[in-house]
């Protein structure tokens, strides 16, 4: 199988040096802390169309990611940079029947998208705290409806309201996921769909006064569910660096802005989810619970900002964890499995000059 890099030689626009971009473009005269990326138009050669107004884009069946990955680097970087921009605007994109992609391809694709989006130079593929490495020693994950022999499992059903399972991947890390790629290969006869929800929409749904109230607040994110799983099954969670040197240790906790700026688009989004965000640090406990309950209800009940995708074998989804939450539907019997690659992104930040999503479907140049 092809080899895969595990680090990215790119320059990250960090909070201390936010004007530098990994693609070498000079900062403009705008007031953004990080200049949003602009498409080259290269992706127009690959037919795609919106699935809903708020989020979701689907590529034509004949579009083959394997062929895009094989393009000469300069040409491929133009296409993949535009793909990173598209998924950052539209939240999630889908490719049909990518049966020629192997797990290493997913890892290479995730790394290149992260680099082109302006990832930290230290960033690489995330290794989930509950997971073992693949047989080749690479940090490529698997999604399975069944735990492994040690009881390890990334996602699992909870009793009660299923909406409490909405989440953004690894928001409990200081440097959480930028993009997730999931290719499903084993599906039940029925059910097992996945939902995504737009957090651009969540922010824009709030009144201007409520938006201002939330801006500058931070949420505490905690992966207590995995510590509990490890205790119950008597295995050790991964404490070595998980895709970034700062993602180390056994706490699996991090504080992030409740209103986050997407560095690719310059758009504001709510960055909170019921699986990992446990409280708002600057508020009293009861105040925090009240605000989070409202945000989580807005996320769960705003059906115009949802998309539910019915998988076929070897379909691939690519999504931006700074723009959407997602949720698997546990309504199936039998195995449900796929291959997964997660690339770590920037440390979340809030830019007061960032802009608000206006609901448009078409983005110029894409």
């Amino acid at each position: 199988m092809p080899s895969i890099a595990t680090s990215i030689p790119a320059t990250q626009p960090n909070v201390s040096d936010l004007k530098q971009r990994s693609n070498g473009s000079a900062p403009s005269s705008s007031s953004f802390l990080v200049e949003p990326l602009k498409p080259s138009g290269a992706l127009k050669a690959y037919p795609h169309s919106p699935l809903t107004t708020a989020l979701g884009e689907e590529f034509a069946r004949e579009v083959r990611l394997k062929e895009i990955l094989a393009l000469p680097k300069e040409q491929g970087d133009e296409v993949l940079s535009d793909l990173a921009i598209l998924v950052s605007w539209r939240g999630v994109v889908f490719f049909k029947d990518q049966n020629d992609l192997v797990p290493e391809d997913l890892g290479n694709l995730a790394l290149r998208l992260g680099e082109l989006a302006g990832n930290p130079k230290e960033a690489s593929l995330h290794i989930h705290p509950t997971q073992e490495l693949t047989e080749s020693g690479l940090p490529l994950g698997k999604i399975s409806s069944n735990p492994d022999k040690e009881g390890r499992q990334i996602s699992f059903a909870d009793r009660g309201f299923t909406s409490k399972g909405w989440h953004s991947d690894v928001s409990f890390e200081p440097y959480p996921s930028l993009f997730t790629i999931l290719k499903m290969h084993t599906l039940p006869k029925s059910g097992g769909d996945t939902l995504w929800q737009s957090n651009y929409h969540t922010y824009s749904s709030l009144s201007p006064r409520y938006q201002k109230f939330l801006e500058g607040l931070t949420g505490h994110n905690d992966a207590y569910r995995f510590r509990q799983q490890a205790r119950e099954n008597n295995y050790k969670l991964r404490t070595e660096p998980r895709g970034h040197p700062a993602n180390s240790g056994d706490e699996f906790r991090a504080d992030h802005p409740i209103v986050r700026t997407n560095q690719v688009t310059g758009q504001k989004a709510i960055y909170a989810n019921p699986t990992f965000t446990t409280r708002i640090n600057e508020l009293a406990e009861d105040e925090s619970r009240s605000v989070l309950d409202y945000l989580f209800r807005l996320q769960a009940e705003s059906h115009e900002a949802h998309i539910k995708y019915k998988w076929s074998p070897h379909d691939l989804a690519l999504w931006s964890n700074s723009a959407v939450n997602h949720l698997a539907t546990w309504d199936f019997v039998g195995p449900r499995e796929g291959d997964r690659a997660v690339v770590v992104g920037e440390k979340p930040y809030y830019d007061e000059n960032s802009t608000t999503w206006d609901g448009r479907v078409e983005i110029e140049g894409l």
Side-chain angles (χ1 to χ4, degrees):
M1 288 185 176
S3 61
I4 183 170
T6 57
S7 63
I8 302 176
T11 300
Q12 161 64 10
N14 211 329
V15 175
S16 61
D17 191 15
L18 286 169
K19 283 292 185 182
Q20 297 190 25
R21 296 234 45 131
S22 64
N23 64 358
S25 61
S28 75
S29 59
S30 78
S31 55
F32 285 106
L33 291 174
V34 180
E35 186 65 19
L37 292 179
K38 296 190 169 42
S40 67
L43 199 61
K44 288 185 174 181
Y46 301 89
H48 55 90
S49 57
L51 292 177
T52 74
T53 302
L55 77 167
E57 197 88 4
E58 186 174 69
F59 281 81
R61 183 175 292 272
E62 63 266 22
V63 176
R64 312 305 299 173
L65 283 167
K66 190 85 167 182
E67 296 175 3
I68 294 175
L69 287 170
L71 291 172
K73 187 176 188 309
E74 184 175 352
Q75 181 183 0
D77 281 354
E78 284 190 344
V79 175
L80 291 176
S81 178
D82 281 10
L83 179 57
I85 297 169
L86 178 68
V87 71
S88 298
W89 275 104
R90 299 292 293 145
V92 57
V93 302
F94 303 97
F95 296 84
K96 304 293 289 184
D97 191 23
Q98 303 292 305
N99 61 349
D100 50 352
L101 289 177
V102 298
E104 284 78 5
D105 292 327
L106 305 188
N108 278 318
L109 175 59
L111 286 169
R112 290 184 69 183
L113 289 170
E115 178 181 356
L116 293 164
N119 265 7
K121 63 182 179 180
E122 304 88 356
S124 70
L125 298 178
H126 186 262
I127 309 172
H128 198 276
T130 68
Q131 280 202 303
E132 294 296 325
L133 297 177
T134 61
E135 292 180 0
S136 60
L138 300 176
L140 299 171
K142 294 182 181 297
I143 290 290
S144 177
S145 56
N146 298 313
D148 67 14
K149 62 183 180 181
E150 292 185 321
R152 299 173 185 267
Q153 193 172 15
I154 287 181
S155 61
F156 44 88
D158 286 316
R159 295 184 182 277
F161 293 111
T162 57
S163 59
K164 67 183 179 182
W166 286 107
H167 65 284
S168 175
D169 282 337
V170 301
S171 65
F172 54 84
E173 300 280 26
Y175 285 75
S177 167
L178 175 60
F179 298 125
T180 296
I181 302 172
L182 176 61
K183 184 171 81 80
M184 299 300 293
H185 56 72
T186 302
L187 295 168
K189 291 182 179 180
S190 63
D193 300 347
T194 302
L195 292 86
W196 285 264
Q197 162 263 317
S198 170
N199 275 319
Y200 293 145
H201 182 280
T202 305
Y203 175 83
S204 68
S205 298
L206 301 169
S207 66
R209 182 63 63 89
Y210 205 87
Q211 291 172 346
K212 287 295 181 186
F213 164 65
L214 294 176
E215 292 167 4
L217 299 180
T218 60
H220 184 66
N221 294 265
D222 189 335
Y224 58 88
R225 64 196 275 120
F226 300 122
R227 291 196 299 274
Q228 181 181 3
Q229 185 188 119
R231 284 195 303 269
E232 291 175 353
N233 293 282
N234 195 31
Y235 65 77
K236 292 184 178 180
L237 294 169
R238 305 189 71 91
T239 58
E240 67 271 32
R242 298 176 296 274
H244 190 282
N247 295 347
S248 303
D250 60 0
E251 287 195 358
F252 312 108
R253 299 183 179 100
D255 295 332
H256 298 305
I258 290 292
V259 179
R260 176 182 182 177
T261 299
N262 185 302
Q263 72 166 24
V264 175
T265 67
Q267 298 281 296
K268 298 176 185 178
I270 294 298
Y271 192 59
N273 65 85
T275 295
F276 297 123
T277 310
T278 58
R279 67 161 298 150
I280 297 176
N281 295 310
E282 295 78 10
L283 303 181
E285 184 175 351
D286 290 343
E287 295 169 340
S288 168
R289 187 72 269 151
S290 174
V291 172
L292 287 178
D293 283 347
Y294 175 68
L295 291 178
F296 297 158
R297 182 178 175 185
L298 188 60
Q299 291 169 336
E301 297 186 16
S302 298
H303 62 90
E304 72 278 16
H306 294 175
I307 188 168
K308 187 176 185 180
Y309 189 77
K310 182 174 180 58
W311 297 95
S312 294
H314 303 293
D315 285 356
L316 180 146
L318 161 63
W319 65 90
S320 168
N321 285 289
S322 60
V324 299
N325 291 338
H326 65 284
L327 170 68
T329 306
W330 290 81
D331 61 344
F332 56 90
V333 176
R336 177 184 182 273
E337 298 178 348
D339 295 311
R340 176 179 181 263
V342 176
V343 64
V344 167
E346 79 278 10
K347 189 176 180 64
Y349 68 95
Y350 168 66
D351 179 356
E352 64 181 9
N353 297 309
S354 50
T355 52
T356 303
W357 177 83
D358 62 7
R360 59 185 169 175
V361 174
E362 294 186 7
I363 310 301
E364 185 177 354
L366 295 174

